[in-house]
Amino acid sequence: MAKKTVRDIDVRGKRVLVRVDFNVPIKEGVIKDDRRIRAALPTLQFLLDGGASLVLMSHLGRPKEGPDPQFSLGPVARRLSELLGREVRLAPDCAGPEVEAMAAALQPGDVLMLENVRFQKGETKNDPDLAARMAKLADVYVNDAFGSAHRAHASTEGVAHHLPGVAGLLMEKELKFLGDALANPARPFVAVLGGAKVEDKIAVIENLLPKVDKLVIGGGMAFTFLKAGWDHEIGKSLLDAERLDFARAVVRDAGPKLLLPTDVVVASSIESPEGTIVPCSSMPSDAMGVDIGPETTRAFADAVRAAGTVVWNGPMGVFENPAFAAGTRALCEAMAQCPGTTIVGGGDSAAAIEQFGFADKVTHVSTGGGASLEFLEGKVLPGVAALQDL
């Protein structure tokens, strides 16, 4: 799905409406992590260098009933001003006559940020009237918000029906790395899936299993597969009883492709100060699995280090508790040591690789948790489909 990007258009003297993903954690007006803002800088600078003025739009959080000061993009506008080294004005809304006047007054090099698009109820409903009013603010539309591209909202999909739409540099990067991994991976192609819920990963497993050379499953979801394949005692570990038949079929069909834990760390709860290493074949009935064990960690790390392409989505354990972070940390390290293409699929995996200091040692860390999952499922993302084809 080759899409036009900012490289394919002339923006000199034009107003460019850019959908960014500035949904960053803010506490008491202070941004706790500005990675998503920094990730958009190459696109914004490229457009400014090309002679454009910018109108930026993003959502922040999930405001329930219209405007809410705690979800204002004011702190984001201030941080972006610092990063760009120029003033970023904040509009009072994301559409309407006052905002249109502010946009019309922009000169090349000026930057205007719209207030949180979710203050308008029509945003999440992909209201065509709201999309048309947003489109009045500019001449061209750029979507650089991969993390929101799986949602058909007014600012991600609707507006592209009113303005010529192209991908930003971050969106281009996401589509390239994830797309190449699925379409033409260097081999061996290894997929590592973790996290809590089997349900969240069913479509990913179905799409990836025929493509990969190794499917590595850890985290809380592994226990459903251990129960399905070998009827192991899993104690108080996570079990998705409704997905046992699916897990049984995967164990049967994957054969030697499938790598599951052989030992685990168990504890009485996820808050416990320490755990005990046990073989998967003899887990105690009164404990729960909270991390992969050392034998499993070595096997998983070896598979990752030997990969030509590896895609990882989902932690190996309760890494938020330092006592149960060893498996996830070792996987991050193995990703950093792998000489092939290494892709981290957003969400908790991205948080983990950043936390353990390996984010700059992998090929690509996706900015979209839900979007990267849907992409790996083989779905067409509405925010991407709406952009112009090459």
Side-chain angles (χ1 to χ4, degrees):
M1 192 197 305
K3 294 292 179 179
K4 284 186 179 179
T5 75
V6 288
R7 303 177 204 278
D8 301 310
I9 57 171
D10 179 11
V11 297
R12 187 161 301 281
K14 292 182 178 174
R15 287 200 309 273
V16 183
L17 183 63
V18 189
R19 178 53 159 99
V20 286
D21 183 1
F22 288 167
N23 183 30
V24 296
I26 298 176
K27 192 168 183 182
E28 295 173 357
V30 178
I31 295 170
K32 297 299 181 185
D33 182 352
D34 68 355
R35 271 178 302 170
R36 285 180 171 171
I37 303 173
R38 287 185 279 116
L41 292 177
T43 296
L44 304 185
Q45 199 61 58
F46 183 90
L47 292 167
L48 290 168
D49 291 346
S53 57
L54 306 183
V55 180
L56 311 181
M57 57 181 175
S58 176
H59 74 284
L60 178 65
R62 295 181 177 177
K64 296 280 190 286
E65 291 293 328
D68 182 336
Q70 69 172 317
F71 295 113
S72 171
L73 283 165
V76 175
R78 289 191 289 276
R79 179 62 182 137
L80 185 60
S81 293
E82 295 168 3
L83 292 169
L84 284 176
R86 66 182 75 204
E87 183 188 12
V88 176
R89 292 186 67 198
L90 181 69
D93 202 343
C94 62
E98 187 180 355
V99 183
E100 287 171 32
M102 292 178 77
L106 294 174
Q107 298 298 311
D110 288 349
V111 183
L112 175 68
M113 181 176 290
L114 305 182
E115 188 52 283
N116 192 341
V117 292
R118 288 194 182 169
F119 286 174
Q120 290 274 356
K121 287 185 179 175
E123 160 65 4
T124 55
K125 295 172 181 166
N126 200 4
D127 176 24
D129 176 61
L130 176 60
R133 288 189 292 134
M134 288 171 165
K136 282 184 179 180
L137 303 174
D139 309 300
V140 184
Y141 171 68
V142 172
N143 192 341
D144 209 30
F146 178 76
S148 301
H150 58 310
R151 300 187 179 108
H153 289 176
S155 68
T156 60
E157 199 271 347
V159 74
H161 295 289
H162 301 276
L163 288 174
V166 301
L169 300 177
L170 178 61
M171 178 75 82
E172 177 190 42
K173 187 179 173 189
E174 294 273 12
L175 297 176
K176 173 178 166 42
F177 282 116
L178 289 168
D180 286 355
L182 293 182
N184 189 30
R187 295 196 177 272
F189 179 20
V190 177
V192 183
L193 300 178
K197 296 179 183 174
V198 177
E199 179 184 6
D200 292 347
K201 304 291 196 310
I202 285 179
V204 178
I205 292 170
E206 288 176 338
N207 191 42
L208 290 182
L209 192 54
K211 298 178 170 71
V212 299
D213 300 292
K214 275 269 185 285
L215 176 63
V216 179
I217 295 180
M221 63 184 283
F223 298 103
T224 298
F225 289 86
L226 292 169
K227 186 75 176 172
W230 296 271
D231 199 25
H232 282 328
E233 168 66 61
I234 61 167
K236 296 190 294 182
S237 306
L238 290 172
L239 173 67
D240 189 339
E242 291 180 24
R243 305 313 182 296
L244 279 169
D245 286 345
F246 168 78
R248 208 169 281 120
V250 170
V251 171
R252 183 191 66 230
D253 297 341
K257 273 190 184 184
L258 182 63
L259 218 54
L260 284 166
T262 53
D263 64 341
V264 290
V265 177
V266 297
S268 57
S269 81
I270 61 173
E271 289 90 17
S272 297
E274 59 182 1
T276 306
I277 300 161
V278 299
C280 289
S281 55
S282 55
M283 288 179 65
S285 59
D286 61 347
M288 63 175 65
V290 288
D291 194 11
I292 52 175
E295 181 181 275
T296 301
T297 299
R298 282 191 294 273
F300 285 12
D302 286 347
V304 165
R305 280 193 293 265
T309 305
V310 55
V311 175
W312 171 38
N313 189 294
M316 296 294 100
V318 189
F319 75 95
E320 298 86 351
N321 183 339
F324 310 135
T328 301
R329 190 187 193 287
L331 195 75
C332 293
E333 195 168 358
M335 292 280 288
Q337 293 166 344
C338 173
T341 299
T342 47
I343 300 165
V344 181
D348 288 338
S349 309
I353 205 151
E354 183 83 18
Q355 178 180 314
F356 296 125
F358 296 104
D360 60 346
K361 296 179 174 65
V362 294
T363 309
H364 181 60
V365 180
S366 178
T367 54
S372 63
L373 262 185
E374 291 200 14
F375 197 97
L376 293 173
E377 290 171 8
K379 287 182 180 174
V380 175
L381 308 183
V384 176
L387 302 178
Q388 292 186 326
D389 294 321
L390 260 180

